[in-house]
Amino acid sequence: MARYSTTQFMEAGVPVVRLSEADSQSELLVSPAFGATAYDFRVAGQPVLWAPAPLADLLARPRLCGNPILAPWANRI
């Protein structure tokens, strides 16, 4: 089994990318349609990021949540 994996799927009508790491059982969901924001991060099934609503609700009413992917130029924003 590969240590790292990626899968793409649709949620709430928008594309989502799942990044997984097997050793720590980490899973990160990123939606390019939601500003390339990581909106769900779990380690061993436990949530690490605070997310107030499902992706469909976040797209309809964006709030302060998630973590924007700033690589590779986080200091340039």
Side-chain angles (χ1 to χ4, degrees), residues 15-19 27-42 48-53 55 58 63-70:
V16 174
V17 178
R18 175 183 290 125
L19 307 171
E27 182 177 273
L28 177 72
L29 299 181
V30 177
S31 175
F34 190 48
T37 296
Y39 69 93
D40 189 2
F41 180 44
R42 295 175 184 271
V48 176
L49 286 178
W50 175 78
L55 182 58
L58 292 174
R63 303 177 192 164
L64 295 175
C65 69
N67 189 18
I69 304 297
L70 301 176

Side-chain angles (χ1 to χ4, degrees), residues 9-16 29 39 54-56 59:
F9 61 95
M10 298 293 283
E11 182 180 333
V14 297
V16 174
L29 299 181
Y39 69 93
L55 182 58
L59 292 169

